[in-house]
Amino acid sequence: MKAQQRTELTFLRIQYTNNDGDTPETVVQGVSGKVSPYESMCILDSSHSGASSILLKVIAGRASAAGVVHGVVKANNTKLTANYSLVYSAFVSAGDSAQCAQLTVRQTLMYAALLRRTDQRSCATVRHWYSSQFDSKHVSSLPEYVPYRDDDVQYDNTGASSGTSVVPLNEIENNIGSSRDLLQRIDDIILMMGLEQLADVCIGHRQKRNLSPSQLRCLTIAVELVNRPSLLFLDNPLADLDWHHSLVVTNAIKTLVAGGRTVICTMNTPTK
């Protein structure tokens, strides 16, 4: 699965000062680096202070508003502002992102592709596209609403939230590709993340999950891959994974890099 484009990321003299307290504290100071397509970079944190995660968020444009950032970040030699948003980048935060309990693994990835690329959170958009591509059996299996996050507003299947409209099918297809391409991409991601046996299993509620914590972590990473980002940020991707899924994630990163992606991750060094 190749990236849509290539991205070279350069960061120069990065400094981050945390002002969330009585005394300002400089957490990151004078850090520079460069990572190109077909390369990966791992930022190690021997002190376990969280400085590596802060640096990752700074260069990804996700630093806390409570801090002050100095330095320059460039993507393909173009200077980026403090609050930039890269269209072809993805950020996987530490821990598991909220997922809809009613959806299967495959449906979760389908919704992620459609909702992110069309900037719409209405199920009407997703069901409209779905019904144009698949038979009624697949469409009827979709839930009546899908919260984008657990605490989000719930949209019904008519898109009845204020001002919600259905995105034209040709616009959706231009953004995500044809249905055949999207389905193949999702199958490839499911296989790469070791979720093939769970592809049609519902995620389940927090009180009764059908996926283990390690499998949920793999799903969290998979969600960020559906739109073929060329630049991928991973915050401590191996944290709390069992040995098998640690190997799955490591091999997935190698595959992504071999496909032309630029990958930057953090990792805590082992303690004695």
Side-chain angles (χ1 to χ4, degrees), residues 116-181:
R116 288 164 186 244
R117 295 303 286 174
T118 60
D119 294 326
Q120 297 289 325
R121 296 188 179 186
S122 167
C123 282
T125 296
V126 180
R127 293 175 70 91
H128 183 46
W129 183 87
Y130 230 99
S131 62
S132 72
Q133 305 291 336
F134 308 105
D135 57 41
S136 57
K137 179 181 68 174
H138 290 87
V139 179
S140 61
S141 69
L142 297 178
E144 293 301 307
Y145 65 83
V146 179
Y148 192 72
R149 292 289 186 267
D150 281 355
D151 56 353
D152 246 356
V153 175
Q154 296 175 351
Y155 294 91
D156 63 26
N157 65 324
T158 63
S161 75
S162 58
T164 303
S165 60
V166 175
V167 175
L169 295 181
N170 61 341
E171 182 178 332
I172 297 177
E173 192 145 308
N174 287 339
N175 281 330
I176 65 172
S178 67
S179 58
R180 180 178 300 177
D181 292 340

Side-chain angles (χ1 to χ4, degrees), residues 41-45 49-60 62 90-97 217 220-221 224 232-241 249 253 263-268:
M41 172 186 289
C42 184
I43 305 171
L44 298 179
D45 186 1
S49 64
S52 60
S53 294
I54 292 174
L55 175 60
L56 185 74
K57 291 175 183 177
V58 168
I59 61 180
R62 293 171 177 257
F91 187 95
V92 182
S93 59
D96 300 321
S97 61
R217 181 62 172 163
T220 297
I221 296 173
E224 299 299 333
L232 181 63
F233 300 94
L234 296 158
D235 191 2
N236 213 355
L238 303 184
D240 301 322
L241 294 184
V249 172
I253 292 174
V263 178
I264 306 175
C265 66
T266 65
M267 189 175 298
N268 292 330

Side-chain angles (χ1 to χ4, degrees), residues 4-263:
Q4 296 187 72
Q5 66 171 33
R6 304 287 182 257
T7 301
E8 179 182 84
L9 190 74
T10 305
F11 49 98
L12 303 171
R13 302 176 298 279
I14 298 298
Q15 178 176 312
Y16 178 82
T17 302
N18 186 7
N19 292 328
D20 189 15
D22 297 332
T23 304
E25 178 186 7
T26 300
V27 182
V28 177
Q29 184 170 8
V31 180
S32 300
K34 175 182 176 181
V35 58
S36 302
Y38 299 98
E39 292 182 353
S40 61
M41 172 186 289
C42 184
I43 305 171
L44 298 179
D45 186 1
S46 59
S47 65
H48 296 260
S49 64
S52 60
S53 294
I54 292 174
L55 175 60
L56 185 74
K57 291 175 183 177
V58 168
I59 61 180
R62 293 171 177 257
S64 170
V68 177
V69 177
H70 295 283
V72 178
V73 181
K74 295 182 179 181
N76 294 336
N77 293 320
T78 301
K79 185 177 178 180
L80 303 174
T81 60
N83 296 317
Y84 71 82
S85 175
L86 291 174
V87 174
Y88 296 106
S89 72
F91 187 95
V92 182
S93 59
D96 300 321
S97 61
Q99 307 293 349
C100 180
Q102 296 169 285
L103 293 182
T104 66
V105 168
R106 192 186 307 277
Q107 289 171 344
T108 296
L109 298 180
M110 181 68 74
Y111 267 88
L114 293 170
L115 294 176
R116 288 164 186 244
R117 295 303 286 174
T118 60
D119 294 326
Q120 297 289 325
R121 296 188 179 186
S122 167
C123 282
T125 296
V126 180
R127 293 175 70 91
H128 183 46
W129 183 87
Y130 230 99
S131 62
S132 72
Q133 305 291 336
F134 308 105
D135 57 41
S136 57
K137 179 181 68 174
H138 290 87
V139 179
S140 61
S141 69
L142 297 178
E144 293 301 307
Y145 65 83
V146 179
Y148 192 72
R149 292 289 186 267
D150 281 355
D151 56 353
D152 246 356
V153 175
Q154 296 175 351
Y155 294 91
D156 63 26
N157 65 324
T158 63
S161 75
S162 58
T164 303
S165 60
V166 175
V167 175
L169 295 181
N170 61 341
E171 182 178 332
I172 297 177
E173 192 145 308
N174 287 339
N175 281 330
I176 65 172
S178 67
S179 58
R180 180 178 300 177
D181 292 340
L182 179 58
L183 290 176
Q184 183 59 56
R185 192 190 321 155
I186 288 174
D187 285 342
D188 291 343
I189 293 172
I190 287 173
L191 183 62
M192 182 172 62
M193 300 310 302
L195 299 170
E196 60 272 19
Q197 295 183 353
L198 301 166
D200 298 309
V201 174
C202 288
I203 296 171
H205 295 277
R206 291 176 179 175
Q207 292 80 7
K208 187 179 180 181
R209 292 291 193 195
N210 295 321
L211 277 66
S212 70
S214 293
Q215 291 164 343
L216 279 172
R217 181 62 172 163
C218 288
L219 177 59
T220 297
I221 296 173
V223 164
E224 299 299 333
L225 299 178
V226 290
N227 292 315
R228 298 167 291 179
S230 64
L231 178 59
L232 181 63
F233 300 94
L234 296 158
D235 191 2
N236 213 355
L238 303 184
D240 301 322
L241 294 184
D242 57 46
W243 69 268
H244 171 71
H245 290 94
S246 294
L247 183 60
V248 167
V249 172
T250 301
N251 287 336
I253 292 174
K254 291 173 62 177
T255 300
L256 293 170
V257 171
R261 285 174 175 77
T262 305
V263 178

